[in-house]
Structures are given as structure tokens and as C-alpha cells.
Amino acid sequence: MRTQVGIVGAGPAGLMLSHMLHLEGIDSVIVERAGQEHVRTRLRAGVLEQGTVEMLRGLGLGGRFGRLGLEQHAIDFRFAGESHRIDFHAASGGRSAWVYPQHELVTDLMDARVAAGACMFFEAPVTRLEGVRDGNAVIHFEHDGAPQRLECDYIAGCDGFRGVCRDAIPADEVKVYDRVYPFGWLGILADAPAPTSEITWGCHEDGFAMLSIRSPSVTRLYLQCAPDEEPEAWSDDRIWSELHKRLDVPDMPPVNEGRISQKGVTAMRSFLAEPMQYGRLFLAGDAAHIVPPTGAKGLNSAMADVQVLGRALVEHYKRGAGTWLASYSAICLKRMWLVQRFSAGLCTMVHQFPGDNAFVRRLQRADLEYMTGTVAGRLQFAENFTGLPIGA
Ligand code: RFL
């Protein structure tokens, strides 16, 4: 089997790249470890930047999003017993963010790929890559119990943080930057309408909490917890009591309680592999970088990478120009370090770190006051949260 671009992973990065290439008449094959239903229904990120939304619309994927996406103009930061709104729409001169769950985006992409008759292998774990440096690139995978090989001009490693593509780069050709945080997030889905239409962050001395809307009748809520916490250690009563404590403030409607339909703990880290390309292999999305979810940048960064990679491959195949492909990593990394800075900075500002003393906690408060209470602070938050320029 042979294709122009072999794509490992059918997450948002792999599916979007395949869709972009198809629109330009470039052939690709997706090889995915999990089953199709599992990929479609995985609950993960939920906030899209302005640039991601423009990308969706520009690529003909704006239909369901236009009906289901919830436009956001502000975030309500709650600390010191008060609400402090940042109207990022106003502060950024009219840019927005949207709540649109990742599984809806994946559904849109999957439907588009299926409708176009895309070649996709599910339940097909990739075992190794060959010829990545300068030979004939080959993806080795298993399907229906038999080993398979896919020859390709280029390989897009869109296989997430725990995939195999990053490991195909020799250790002395890649530098890895990593920070593991001493806490995680307990995330729940609750059958309850959100008390407000705005994403709300509780920056409380007992730990961070967050409230976001998933639909008019479903709320997504998070609580800072230990990184290795067992979700079962949190009874429903304990969850609601902590959410009220960390999020409710006088004069604002309190968190609405409801049936908890899902509970899970996510650990948190910052991670970046440099460079993001090696020979015929290009890493995109979580395969190359991880951010703590505080800034809602994981999914958006995957989309930004793919936008650059798709454009570079089109330049190469349509116009015979290799400059974009050669500079793929440099273009993505320049933006990604700014995204890492924003995500790690916010994460550090709003969480309680074990062992921090009173001085550090007061500095965190001063950071929050500067960010929410000054024109410069609001502008900086707004331009980062709604998304930095892609490929600039
Ligand atoms: P994905 O979505 O992880 O997709 C990678 C795909 O590759 C497949 N794969 C393989 N396929 C074949 N052979 C192999 N050997 C393979 N190894 C792996 C996997 O099965 C999978 O289908 O990466 P992608 O496309 O780069 O997309 C990135 C986003 O999914 C990710 O950044 C965000 O979801 C991160 N994230 C969140 N980001 C936010 O901005 N806000 C959030 O609230 C948020 N919540 C989350 C998250 C990530 C989570 N995970 C990964 C633990 C919650 C969770 C639970």
C-alpha cells in the first residue's frame, strides 16, 4: 500500500490534516490504534480559539458548529470572595472564543472524511516507522491480526503524547522540555444548567475550580486535586461542597447541582519536543507538546500545527516549493513557546502548590489583580486566550 502522506492517529490533528489535504487533491491514509466509536466519543477539550473557528469555517466544517457552538466574550475570575470579569471580546477588539466539545469537532471531521471515502484504518496500532530520516518512509501497523505496511512520501505523527512517532527520532536529535505539576483536575459532567453563560474560574486558597457550559442542560466542572487521586474518593456531596466553596461569591448565582454523569482525574504537565520534524516525519499536536489545560490550548495548538503543516504540504505538492516544509518546526515552535508561557503562567497563577508560603500566595493574588484590574493585564490575557496569530 502506498500514499502521499501517511497519518498516524485519528485525533483532531490527524483527521483535520487529512481533510485539508483531501480538499487540495493530496492523498493520505490514516492509521488509528483505537476503534472508530471510541475516537468519536472521547470527552476532552471544550474551548475553541478564534483562529480554530476561522479554520473550521474556511474548510467547510462550520455547519454543526454554527448551530451548537456557544460564543464566549468573557471569563469570570473569582477570588477574594468577589467576581472579576475579563471581557476578552472588548479587550481584544472583538475576538471571541467558543465552547464546542472536542468530540463534536471530531464527529464533524470523521463525518467529512467518511463522506469523502477516505482511507482510514481503525483498531490498527502502529508498531514502528522505517526510513524516516532519508529513505523510503514506511508505517508498520497491525490490522485484523496481520502485519501491514504503508509506504509514504511523508509521515504526519499525530498520535498524541503516548504515541510511537516521537520515539522514531533518535534521542540525540531531539531535546525534550518537561514539567510535571504536583496536582491534577477532577473533572465531572453534571446534568444541570450552568448558573451563568460565562466560563468561571475559582481561584481559591483551598484549590482551583472551574465551571464551563457543555450545552444548555449540561455543565462541565473541575476541581484541583492530588495528581494520583482516585475519583471514587470524591463522593457527590464532597464534590458539590468543594465546588460551592471555591466558585460561589455573594451577589452571583451559585453553582447548580445535578446528577453527576461522569467523573475522572487528569494529571497535568507542560511538555515540548524540539524540533518537531526529522527527515520525512512531522510531529503535530500532543505528539509534540502538552500544556496544562488551564489556558484551553491543547486542542487549539494541535489545530495550529496542522494549519502550518497542511499549508506546507500543499506548497510542496502543488508548487514544488520546499521552504515551508523545511521551516515547519521553526514556525510552530515560535508560537508554541508563547502558548507554553501563557498556559504555564496561568496554571501557576491560579493553582495552590503544596508547600507555597504566604508570600507566594500573596504574589499570586497580585498577579490575578494585575491581570483582571489593568488594561495591560486584560489585553495580554485576551490576545492569548482568543489565540495568537498562526504561522506569523
Ligand atoms: P489525540 O487527541 O491524543 O489523538 C492521538 C490519536 O493517536 C492515536 N494513537 C495511535 N494510533 C495508531 N498507532 C499508535 N501507536 C497510536 N498511539 C496513539 C490515539 O488513539 C489517538 O486517537 O492528539 P491530537 O490529535 O494531537 O489532539 C490533541 C488534543 O486531543 C488534546 O490536546 C486535548 O484534548 C488536551 N486536553 C484538553 N485540552 C484543552 O485545551 N482543554 C481541556 O479541557 C482538555 N481536556 C485533554 C483534556 C486531554 C486529555 N487526555 C489526552 C488525557 C482531557 C483529557 C482526558
Side-chain angles (χ1 to χ4, degrees):
M1 206 180 347
R2 187 169 174 89
T3 187
Q4 290 177 298
V5 183
I7 300 176
V8 185
L15 288 166
M16 181 63 90
L17 181 64
S18 176
H19 177 70
M20 288 178 77
L21 296 177
H22 163 74
L23 295 180
E24 297 286 346
I26 299 167
D27 192 41
S28 71
V29 172
I30 297 181
V31 186
E32 163 62 48
R33 180 176 58 192
Q36 193 174 153
E37 199 45 34
H38 178 73
V39 169
R40 277 181 185 266
T41 53
R42 270 187 306 216
L43 281 189
R44 288 188 172 174
V47 177
L48 304 187
E49 300 174 345
Q50 173 102 24
T52 303
V53 168
E54 284 165 9
M55 184 182 181
L56 290 187
R57 289 177 172 154
L59 295 171
L61 296 165
R64 278 175 78 246
F65 168 79
R67 294 192 297 280
L68 302 178
L70 301 168
E71 188 168 355
Q72 301 283 303
H73 285 180
I75 288 196
D76 187 354
F77 290 86
R78 295 188 175 168
F79 57 90
E82 288 176 358
S83 151
H84 307 254
R85 278 177 86 245
I86 295 185
D87 183 336
F88 54 76
H89 186 69
S92 65
R95 291 169 67 78
S96 301
W98 281 260
V99 170
Y100 191 60
Q102 182 167 324
H103 65 272
E104 301 289 4
L105 173 62
V106 167
T107 297
D108 296 341
L109 287 165
M110 195 80 93
D111 289 349
R113 299 288 50 238
V114 169
C119 182
M120 299 188 278
F121 290 89
F122 289 92
E123 298 179 38
V126 170
T127 48
R128 69 186 174 93
L129 309 182
E130 182 192 330
V132 163
R133 182 156 172 243
D134 45 18
N136 296 321
V138 181
I139 297 173
H140 292 268
F141 64 102
E142 288 166 7
H143 191 52
D144 285 339
Q148 308 279 347
R149 39 183 288 137
L150 172 65
E151 294 175 19
C152 24
D153 300 341
Y154 297 101
I155 298 175
C158 303
D159 52 347
F161 183 61
R162 301 192 189 285
V164 295
C165 290
R166 197 174 58 246
D167 291 343
I169 307 179
D172 56 353
E173 299 278 357
V174 65
K175 182 155 175 57
V176 160
Y177 300 86
D178 201 5
R179 179 179 189 189
V180 177
Y181 296 91
F183 42 74
W185 275 8
L186 173 75
I188 65 158
L189 265 187
D191 295 333
T196 149
S197 60
E198 290 172 358
I199 299 172
T200 305
W201 292 24
C203 311
H204 194 270
E205 50 273 19
D206 286 352
F208 180 70
M210 189 176 113
L211 178 151
S212 171
I213 308 109
R214 275 297 148 106
S215 74
S217 58
V218 177
T219 319
R220 182 89 165 127
L221 296 132
Y222 297 97
L223 282 166
Q224 178 181 346
C225 63
D228 53 355
E229 190 88 64
E230 288 296 331
E232 291 69 38
W234 288 74
S235 67
D236 290 8
D237 282 352
R238 184 177 172 209
I239 288 173
W240 291 118
S241 124
E242 279 301 315
L243 285 168
H244 283 301
K245 184 170 69 181
R246 299 184 195 183
L247 284 164
D248 291 354
V249 292
D251 303 326
M252 299 298 270
V255 170
N256 284 327
E257 299 184 21
R259 187 182 72 90
I260 295 177
S261 61
Q262 219 197 53
K263 229 188 258 185
V265 170
T266 311
M268 254 181 241
R269 77 192 306 153
S270 300
F271 173 92
L272 188 53
E274 261 186 10
M276 289 168 57
Q277 70 192 87
Y278 177 72
R280 296 182 167 270
L281 170 66
F282 296 84
L283 301 177
D286 280 15
H289 41 69
I290 294 285
V291 286
T294 334
K297 294 296 171 208
L299 170 61
N300 291 298
S301 303
M303 294 297 96
D305 290 351
V306 162
Q307 201 162 332
V308 178
L309 183 54
R311 196 165 54 187
L313 287 164
V314 170
E315 284 282 309
H316 167 70
Y317 281 112
K318 293 288 165 112
R319 287 175 270 287
T323 332
W324 276 89
L325 264 190
S327 35
Y328 166 73
S329 177
I331 293 171
C332 291
L333 285 171
K334 187 174 170 199
R335 182 180 193 273
M336 197 57 214
W337 273 113
L338 296 179
V339 172
Q340 291 283 6
R341 169 192 169 275
F342 175 69
S343 301
L346 267 186
C347 182
T348 310
M349 195 190 304
V350 301
H351 287 91
Q352 298 300 316
F353 284 67
D356 272 358
N357 64 18
F359 181 78
V360 175
R361 290 180 178 223
R362 282 299 283 118
L363 281 184
Q364 282 180 311
R365 172 77 62 82
D367 278 338
L368 281 167
E369 277 170 356
Y370 184 79
M371 185 174 74
T372 57
T374 68
V375 173
R378 286 192 292 269
L379 173 61
Q380 204 189 124
F381 177 83
E383 69 177 6
N384 281 279
F385 191 71
T386 59
L388 295 170
I390 297 168

mmCIF file of all heavy atoms in Angstrom, residues 68 70 188-196 212-221 240 256-261:
data_model
loop_
_atom_site.group_PDB
_atom_site.id
_atom_site.type_symbol
_atom_site.label_atom_id
_atom_site.label_comp_id
_atom_site.label_asym_id
_atom_site.label_seq_id
_atom_site.Cartn_x
_atom_site.Cartn_y
_atom_site.Cartn_z
ATOM 1 N N LEU A 68 -24.312 24.580 17.216
ATOM 2 C CA LEU A 68 -24.061 24.096 18.586
ATOM 3 C C LEU A 68 -22.997 24.890 19.352
ATOM 4 O O LEU A 68 -22.949 24.842 20.578
ATOM 5 C CB LEU A 68 -23.626 22.619 18.557
ATOM 6 C CG LEU A 68 -24.603 21.627 17.919
ATOM 7 C CD1 LEU A 68 -24.016 20.225 17.909
ATOM 8 C CD2 LEU A 68 -25.918 21.627 18.694
ATOM 9 N N LEU A 70 -21.056 27.663 21.328
ATOM 10 C CA LEU A 70 -21.534 28.761 22.178
ATOM 11 C C LEU A 70 -20.455 29.833 22.257
ATOM 12 O O LEU A 70 -19.377 29.599 22.821
ATOM 13 C CB LEU A 70 -21.849 28.238 23.589
ATOM 14 C CG LEU A 70 -22.900 27.121 23.686
ATOM 15 C CD1 LEU A 70 -22.910 26.501 25.079
ATOM 16 C CD2 LEU A 70 -24.274 27.678 23.339
ATOM 17 N N ILE A 188 -15.855 16.642 36.210
ATOM 18 C CA ILE A 188 -17.175 15.975 36.212
ATOM 19 C C ILE A 188 -18.063 16.584 35.132
ATOM 20 O O ILE A 188 -17.889 17.735 34.723
ATOM 21 C CB ILE A 188 -17.900 16.084 37.574
ATOM 22 C CG1 ILE A 188 -18.247 17.555 37.903
ATOM 23 C CG2 ILE A 188 -17.101 15.468 38.699
ATOM 24 C CD1 ILE A 188 -19.389 17.682 38.896
ATOM 25 N N LEU A 189 -19.005 15.781 34.671
ATOM 26 C CA LEU A 189 -20.092 16.276 33.819
ATOM 27 C C LEU A 189 -21.349 16.206 34.664
ATOM 28 O O LEU A 189 -21.623 15.163 35.276
ATOM 29 C CB LEU A 189 -20.288 15.365 32.622
ATOM 30 C CG LEU A 189 -19.605 15.687 31.307
ATOM 31 C CD1 LEU A 189 -20.104 14.734 30.243
ATOM 32 C CD2 LEU A 189 -19.811 17.125 30.867
ATOM 33 N N ALA A 190 -22.106 17.287 34.741
ATOM 34 C CA ALA A 190 -23.314 17.299 35.580
ATOM 35 C C ALA A 190 -24.531 17.672 34.744
ATOM 36 O O ALA A 190 -24.471 18.589 33.912
ATOM 37 C CB ALA A 190 -23.142 18.302 36.723
ATOM 38 N N ASP A 191 -25.618 16.934 34.965
ATOM 39 C CA ASP A 191 -26.873 17.268 34.291
ATOM 40 C C ASP A 191 -27.502 18.434 35.047
ATOM 41 O O ASP A 191 -28.389 18.246 35.893
ATOM 42 C CB ASP A 191 -27.841 16.068 34.306
ATOM 43 C CG ASP A 191 -27.287 14.916 33.497
ATOM 44 O OD1 ASP A 191 -26.509 15.173 32.556
ATOM 45 O OD2 ASP A 191 -27.623 13.759 33.804
ATOM 46 N N ALA A 192 -27.024 19.610 34.749
ATOM 47 C CA ALA A 192 -27.527 20.813 35.420
ATOM 48 C C ALA A 192 -27.201 22.005 34.523
ATOM 49 O O ALA A 192 -26.111 22.061 33.953
ATOM 50 C CB ALA A 192 -26.846 20.996 36.781
ATOM 51 N N PRO A 193 -28.121 22.943 34.396
ATOM 52 C CA PRO A 193 -27.795 24.137 33.603
ATOM 53 C C PRO A 193 -26.756 24.979 34.335
ATOM 54 O O PRO A 193 -26.764 25.044 35.567
ATOM 55 C CB PRO A 193 -29.132 24.887 33.494
ATOM 56 C CG PRO A 193 -29.987 24.345 34.585
ATOM 57 C CD PRO A 193 -29.486 22.982 34.955
ATOM 58 N N ALA A 194 -25.860 25.591 33.580
ATOM 59 C CA ALA A 194 -24.858 26.453 34.224
ATOM 60 C C ALA A 194 -25.556 27.690 34.790
ATOM 61 O O ALA A 194 -26.514 28.180 34.195
ATOM 62 C CB ALA A 194 -23.809 26.863 33.204
ATOM 63 N N PRO A 195 -25.088 28.189 35.942
ATOM 64 C CA PRO A 195 -25.748 29.356 36.544
ATOM 65 C C PRO A 195 -25.490 30.637 35.752
ATOM 66 O O PRO A 195 -26.177 31.637 35.941
ATOM 67 C CB PRO A 195 -25.106 29.442 37.934
ATOM 68 C CG PRO A 195 -23.798 28.719 37.813
ATOM 69 C CD PRO A 195 -23.981 27.682 36.760
ATOM 70 N N THR A 196 -24.479 30.623 34.900
ATOM 71 C CA THR A 196 -24.136 31.789 34.087
ATOM 72 C C THR A 196 -23.642 31.282 32.739
ATOM 73 O O THR A 196 -23.203 30.135 32.639
ATOM 74 C CB THR A 196 -23.009 32.626 34.774
ATOM 75 O OG1 THR A 196 -22.214 33.242 33.761
ATOM 76 C CG2 THR A 196 -22.083 31.768 35.608
ATOM 77 N N SER A 212 -17.678 25.352 33.237
ATOM 78 C CA SER A 212 -17.846 25.675 31.823
ATOM 79 C C SER A 212 -19.139 25.018 31.331
ATOM 80 O O SER A 212 -19.561 23.993 31.856
ATOM 81 C CB SER A 212 -16.634 25.153 31.064
ATOM 82 O OG SER A 212 -16.825 25.246 29.696
ATOM 83 N N ILE A 213 -19.732 25.603 30.331
ATOM 84 C CA ILE A 213 -21.003 25.091 29.798
ATOM 85 C C ILE A 213 -20.691 24.049 28.729
ATOM 86 O O ILE A 213 -19.796 24.259 27.914
ATOM 87 C CB ILE A 213 -21.789 26.234 29.118
ATOM 88 C CG1 ILE A 213 -21.916 27.408 30.069
ATOM 89 C CG2 ILE A 213 -23.143 25.795 28.601
ATOM 90 C CD1 ILE A 213 -21.089 28.571 29.667
ATOM 91 N N ARG A 214 -21.410 22.939 28.714
ATOM 92 C CA ARG A 214 -21.271 21.991 27.606
ATOM 93 C C ARG A 214 -22.478 22.066 26.673
ATOM 94 O O ARG A 214 -22.374 21.855 25.476
ATOM 95 C CB ARG A 214 -21.079 20.571 28.131
ATOM 96 C CG ARG A 214 -19.637 20.238 28.459
ATOM 97 C CD ARG A 214 -18.769 20.290 27.209
ATOM 98 N NE ARG A 214 -17.420 20.719 27.486
ATOM 99 C CZ ARG A 214 -16.355 19.928 27.496
ATOM 100 N NH1 ARG A 214 -16.468 18.668 27.234
ATOM 101 N NH2 ARG A 214 -15.167 20.436 27.736
ATOM 102 N N SER A 215 -23.633 22.329 27.253
ATOM 103 C CA SER A 215 -24.861 22.511 26.466
ATOM 104 C C SER A 215 -25.820 23.238 27.406
ATOM 105 O O SER A 215 -25.506 23.416 28.589
ATOM 106 C CB SER A 215 -25.429 21.140 26.054
ATOM 107 O OG SER A 215 -26.016 20.515 27.168
ATOM 108 N N PRO A 216 -26.993 23.659 26.924
ATOM 109 C CA PRO A 216 -27.902 24.385 27.826
ATOM 110 C C PRO A 216 -28.263 23.592 29.090
ATOM 111 O O PRO A 216 -28.611 24.180 30.110
ATOM 112 C CB PRO A 216 -29.138 24.626 26.954
ATOM 113 C CG PRO A 216 -28.593 24.669 25.555
ATOM 114 C CD PRO A 216 -27.458 23.682 25.524
ATOM 115 N N SER A 217 -28.152 22.252 29.055
ATOM 116 C CA SER A 217 -28.556 21.479 30.237
ATOM 117 C C SER A 217 -27.403 20.713 30.888
ATOM 118 O O SER A 217 -27.619 19.957 31.837
ATOM 119 C CB SER A 217 -29.663 20.494 29.843
ATOM 120 O OG SER A 217 -29.184 19.658 28.814
ATOM 121 N N VAL A 218 -26.176 20.875 30.381
ATOM 122 C CA VAL A 218 -25.034 20.116 30.934
ATOM 123 C C VAL A 218 -23.887 21.067 31.267
ATOM 124 O O VAL A 218 -23.522 21.931 30.467
ATOM 125 C CB VAL A 218 -24.546 19.030 29.940
ATOM 126 C CG1 VAL A 218 -23.331 18.303 30.482
ATOM 127 C CG2 VAL A 218 -25.662 18.038 29.632
ATOM 128 N N THR A 219 -23.326 20.899 32.480
ATOM 129 C CA THR A 219 -22.194 21.707 32.919
ATOM 130 C C THR A 219 -20.961 20.821 33.061
ATOM 131 O O THR A 219 -21.068 19.675 33.517
ATOM 132 C CB THR A 219 -22.479 22.342 34.305
ATOM 133 O OG1 THR A 219 -23.823 22.779 34.341
ATOM 134 C CG2 THR A 219 -21.563 23.520 34.582
ATOM 135 N N ARG A 220 -19.795 21.349 32.684
ATOM 136 C CA ARG A 220 -18.512 20.671 32.903
ATOM 137 C C ARG A 220 -17.828 21.414 34.044
ATOM 138 O O ARG A 220 -17.671 22.635 33.984
ATOM 139 C CB ARG A 220 -17.678 20.754 31.624
ATOM 140 C CG ARG A 220 -16.346 20.035 31.717
ATOM 141 C CD ARG A 220 -16.487 18.596 31.312
ATOM 142 N NE ARG A 220 -15.228 17.943 31.051
ATOM 143 C CZ ARG A 220 -14.859 16.795 31.624
ATOM 144 N NH1 ARG A 220 -15.620 16.202 32.515
ATOM 145 N NH2 ARG A 220 -13.719 16.225 31.294
ATOM 146 N N LEU A 221 -17.432 20.667 35.078
ATOM 147 C CA LEU A 221 -16.818 21.305 36.252
ATOM 148 C C LEU A 221 -15.521 20.602 36.617
ATOM 149 O O LEU A 221 -15.400 19.370 36.440
ATOM 150 C CB LEU A 221 -17.786 21.241 37.439
ATOM 151 C CG LEU A 221 -19.087 22.020 37.246
ATOM 152 C CD1 LEU A 221 -20.282 21.167 37.619
ATOM 153 C CD2 LEU A 221 -19.076 23.306 38.045
ATOM 154 N N TRP A 240 -19.784 18.651 45.414
ATOM 155 C CA TRP A 240 -20.615 19.871 45.381
ATOM 156 C C TRP A 240 -20.206 20.850 46.461
ATOM 157 O O TRP A 240 -20.187 22.067 46.233
ATOM 158 C CB TRP A 240 -22.105 19.504 45.491
ATOM 159 C CG TRP A 240 -22.598 18.799 44.256
ATOM 160 C CD1 TRP A 240 -23.088 17.542 44.168
ATOM 161 C CD2 TRP A 240 -22.613 19.317 42.911
ATOM 162 N NE1 TRP A 240 -23.414 17.229 42.868
ATOM 163 C CE2 TRP A 240 -23.130 18.310 42.078
ATOM 164 C CE3 TRP A 240 -22.234 20.530 42.333
ATOM 165 C CZ2 TRP A 240 -23.286 18.470 40.700
ATOM 166 C CZ3 TRP A 240 -22.397 20.699 40.959
ATOM 167 C CH2 TRP A 240 -22.912 19.680 40.163
ATOM 168 N N ASN A 256 -25.142 25.347 40.111
ATOM 169 C CA ASN A 256 -26.336 24.488 40.142
ATOM 170 C C ASN A 256 -25.917 23.031 40.279
ATOM 171 O O ASN A 256 -25.058 22.566 39.515
ATOM 172 C CB ASN A 256 -27.131 24.623 38.831
ATOM 173 C CG ASN A 256 -27.914 25.922 38.780
ATOM 174 O OD1 ASN A 256 -28.372 26.416 39.810
ATOM 175 N ND2 ASN A 256 -28.047 26.479 37.599
ATOM 176 N N GLU A 257 -26.529 22.318 41.211
ATOM 177 C CA GLU A 257 -26.212 20.896 41.376
ATOM 178 C C GLU A 257 -27.090 20.045 40.454
ATOM 179 O O GLU A 257 -28.168 20.469 40.058
ATOM 180 C CB GLU A 257 -26.414 20.476 42.832
ATOM 181 C CG GLU A 257 -25.499 21.236 43.780
ATOM 182 C CD GLU A 257 -25.614 20.753 45.217
ATOM 183 O OE1 GLU A 257 -26.081 19.615 45.430
ATOM 184 O OE2 GLU A 257 -25.235 21.528 46.120
ATOM 185 N N GLY A 258 -26.598 18.856 40.123
ATOM 186 C CA GLY A 258 -27.368 17.940 39.283
ATOM 187 C C GLY A 258 -26.729 16.564 39.324
ATOM 188 O O GLY A 258 -25.714 16.368 40.000
ATOM 189 N N ARG A 259 -27.312 15.613 38.573
ATOM 190 C CA ARG A 259 -26.763 14.255 38.550
ATOM 191 C C ARG A 259 -25.381 14.288 37.900
ATOM 192 O O ARG A 259 -25.189 14.911 36.855
ATOM 193 C CB ARG A 259 -27.685 13.348 37.734
ATOM 194 C CG ARG A 259 -27.301 11.877 37.776
ATOM 195 C CD ARG A 259 -28.236 11.057 36.890
ATOM 196 N NE ARG A 259 -27.980 11.293 35.462
ATOM 197 C CZ ARG A 259 -27.129 10.583 34.729
ATOM 198 N NH1 ARG A 259 -26.447 9.595 35.265
ATOM 199 N NH2 ARG A 259 -26.942 10.869 33.442
ATOM 200 N N ILE A 260 -24.413 13.631 38.564
ATOM 201 C CA ILE A 260 -23.057 13.577 38.003
ATOM 202 C C ILE A 260 -22.978 12.362 37.081
ATOM 203 O O ILE A 260 -23.128 11.222 37.518
ATOM 204 C CB ILE A 260 -22.001 13.505 39.131
ATOM 205 C CG1 ILE A 260 -22.050 14.815 39.942
ATOM 206 C CG2 ILE A 260 -20.607 13.264 38.554
ATOM 207 C CD1 ILE A 260 -21.111 14.855 41.135
ATOM 208 N N SER A 261 -22.756 12.614 35.774
ATOM 209 C CA SER A 261 -22.794 11.503 34.816
ATOM 210 C C SER A 261 -21.391 10.991 34.505
ATOM 211 O O SER A 261 -21.257 9.914 33.929
ATOM 212 C CB SER A 261 -23.482 11.929 33.523
ATOM 213 O OG SER A 261 -22.769 12.983 32.932
#
